[in-house]
Amino acid sequence: MKTSRWLWPLLAISSLAACLLLISGLIYGISTILYPAESNLQRVNVERDDQLNEDGVWTILALGDSITKGTGDATSKGYAGQVRDAVDAWDDTEVRLINMAVNGYTTEQLHTQIEQQNGVIVSIQQADAILLSIGVNDLYTPGEEVLPEDVADSMTQALSRIEDIVQALTELNTDVRILYTGLYHPLREIDPDGELAALLREWNYQVMQVADAYPQVVFVPTYDLFGDNGTRYLSGDHYHPNEEGYKRIAARIMQVLEEDWHE
Amino acid sequence: MNSLLPLVRNEMLKLWKKKRFFVIIGIIAVLIPIFTYAQLRVSLDRQEQIGTSDWRVSLQQRINDYANRMSSPRVIEEWRKWMSVEVQRLQYYLDHDVNPEEPSGVTFTREFVKNAVGLFVPLLVMVIASDLVSSEHAQGTIKLLLTRPVSRWKVLLSKYLAMLLYVSLIVTALAALCYIISGAVFGYGGWHAPTLIGFQVAGADIDTSNVNMIAQWRFILMELGLVFYTGVLVGCIALMVSVIVRSTAAGMGIMLATLIAGTILSNMVSSWESAKYFFMVNMDLVRYLSGDIPPIEGMNLSFSLWVLTVWAAASIIVSFSVFTRRDVY
């Protein structure tokens, strides 16, 4: 067995060096994990950056609850995805959709999200249009008994938060177009006296008033889209729209955007 | 000591001649380009899907994605917990403006080594260690070895030392090759990229009171140290098997079965609490550094280190007592 003379010294030195390096890493690692130092990290807030909007891409940001998320749509596009596809078909401008909606979000959660999630703050500044649906989860929980007195109570608070949300959005991005999708009534069958219907109409009316105070905000009504035979446009849970239902919402939004686009 | 050094030298050179180390380097050199390419595809795909190259936006979307999946009532409790921890950890990165996946060769190495500790590194160690003694039986060279004027325990100890040194070489070579190959695609920078450590998982929540920012090279150094410890443990167990079982194929089979059973167990033992005393469930020490959720609630670094050390010590005692007493014919 012939062995070259330098093999053993080379092997011995390199493996010994590797071994010592790894042992020191091990000791360093164990001591760092077992005796961690007190954290001294501070939250970093994203700086406002007007360059973000100037990236040449037409950005649609979707914010809010399950309606904007697209829950119930078999293609999982939702109305936001439909709008994106429609805008994309217009001309050569590159379009992107950032969907940050979360199932079950309330106005309070959305407000926190806008104030605190850095990724959301960045995308608000990138956005050319914001699609927004929020509020229904403040009013009632689907599947649970709906008490009109409770709905009326939570409405006042939720409405003032809507105002805060719009305020925060327009502060971050002054020229963004904000499209608020109004509430519809999916529970007509179990609301024969129309008590909830009255409250939902009241909600829509109040939000429309907020929208009127801001030139960027448009209220998009959907109440009539899911009328008496509205179940045809609802998904299996009898609550969220289905693909066709979302298409109808998207069509409304496109009417607003088209008008903007041609200006 | 005088008689031990030549023995170690002998063992090291024997292993070198068997070309096992080249096999290992070969395996690594083939696999890493594949994973580098896969990683590249994943990041390109993600970028295309989200339509943005801003990491803050894509990370935020991933977080909200988890939040959406958590809201579904059909999600398994285990998953919900995992996602809850992940959401909080990633949001903490985002809140402190640290990109957890800043693309670079160093980041790729960090992630690859982290994923390799559970099965890949143990398998590589096994290639070297699982026939250290049994092959001597198979080739009949054990008699030559034992007829030398040195005590048997020294012969076995020299094999342990050779194993230890080769494990160091394997772990270092893995990291080095990983960096060199992936760096060609992702760039060779990233040594000083900020990395967060010190997340403590408590149930479905995360405690951030001890989170600190360190340079990525420090993270990798600690990570490699922890992987090395796991590697040595696997080496000790493999050596014990090789002492007890005279057939190399049977020894390898036993080790393989144990290691693979370990990875399966780690994914499903959460409700079987006493499974935490298996060494296989404790091999992933890196998770305590990165703040991932442990397979069984309540496991922490000192516990895992104890389990691994007890197993290693027991295997050493068994193999020495068997090796020094066994009749060789």
Side-chain angles (χ1 to χ4, degrees), chain A residues 2 7-8 18-19 22 26 28 37 39 42-44 46 69 96 99-103 113 117-119, chain B residues 9 16-17 51 54 56 60-61 64 68 71 94-96 168 172 197 209-212 218 222 225 229:
Chain A
K2 196 174 165 292
L7 178 61
W8 165 241
C19 191
L22 292 172
L26 178 66
Y28 181 30
S39 177
Q42 297 292 319
R43 225 192 101 86
V44 177
V46 202
K69 169 77 187 127
R96 91 174 135 223
N99 199 332
M100 296 281 191
V102 180
N103 289 334
Q113 187 187 35
Q117 292 191 358
N118 282 349
Chain B
R9 173 175 183 266
W16 188 265
K17 295 275 172 195
D54 195 313
R56 291 170 295 188
Q60 191 72 69
Q61 249 181 330
N64 288 333
N68 273 314
S71 74
L94 203 44
D95 284 348
H96 295 82
S168 340
T172 325
I197 54 157
S209 58
N210 289 314
V211 174
N212 277 291
R218 289 177 187 270
M222 294 192 251
Y229 197 77

Side-chain angles (χ1 to χ4, degrees), chain A residues 37-252:
Chain A
E38 195 86 3
S39 177
N40 56 0
L41 297 179
Q42 297 292 319
R43 225 192 101 86
V44 177
N45 290 312
V46 202
E47 307 243 321
R48 200 184 150 149
D49 180 3
D50 290 329
Q51 295 297 311
L52 281 172
N53 194 236
E54 310 290 323
D55 56 359
V57 183
W58 213 75
T59 307
I60 303 167
L61 170 63
L63 287 177
D65 52 28
S66 52
I67 305 292
T68 306
K69 169 77 187 127
T71 305
D73 185 346
T75 65
S76 74
K77 274 186 181 170
Y79 75 89
Q82 308 271 6
V83 167
R84 192 212 97 93
D85 290 352
V87 175
D88 205 19
W90 276 347
D91 63 5
D92 296 338
T93 318
E94 207 184 317
V95 183
R96 91 174 135 223
L97 168 66
I98 302 173
N99 199 332
M100 296 281 191
V102 180
N103 289 334
Y105 252 28
T106 59
T107 49
E108 192 180 358
Q109 286 168 307
L110 177 65
H111 193 225
T112 323
Q113 187 187 35
I114 292 170
E115 303 249 284
Q116 291 187 358
Q117 292 191 358
N118 282 349
V120 171
I121 298 171
V122 170
S123 39
I124 290 170
Q125 296 181 59
Q126 285 183 337
D128 293 280
I130 294 177
L131 308 179
L132 181 66
S133 74
I134 197 73
V136 67
N137 295 315
D138 292 66
L139 301 184
Y140 60 86
T141 317
E144 282 175 27
E145 201 183 353
V146 182
L147 296 170
E149 310 85 74
D150 292 352
V151 177
D153 279 351
S154 31
M155 187 134 76
T156 338
Q157 257 199 326
L159 277 167
S160 78
R161 280 205 212 95
I162 290 273
E163 210 156 351
D164 295 343
I165 288 167
V166 171
Q167 184 71 35
L169 290 176
T170 45
E171 259 168 35
L172 280 165
N173 189 337
T174 30
D175 359 282
V176 72
R177 174 56 98 194
I178 301 170
L179 296 114
Y180 177 88
T181 304
L183 301 190
Y184 58 89
H185 194 356
L187 309 170
R188 277 173 211 267
E189 299 142 48
I190 55 164
D191 183 31
D193 307 331
E195 281 173 301
L196 186 59
L199 288 161
L200 291 173
R201 281 199 303 272
E202 171 71 9
W203 168 273
N204 282 339
Y205 174 70
Q206 296 287 348
V207 176
M208 214 186 290
Q209 281 199 323
V210 175
D212 275 350
Y214 293 84
Q216 307 97 317
V217 185
V218 179
F219 177 88
V220 180
T222 59
Y223 196 84
D224 55 325
L225 292 180
F226 304 89
D228 278 337
N229 56 4
T231 43
R232 194 193 314 167
Y233 301 108
L234 292 180
S235 67
D237 61 5
H238 283 261
Y239 183 68
H240 294 102
N242 58 18
E243 193 185 346
E244 289 305 311
Y246 280 121
K247 270 191 188 151
R248 283 156 75 90
I249 300 178
R252 289 261 159 102

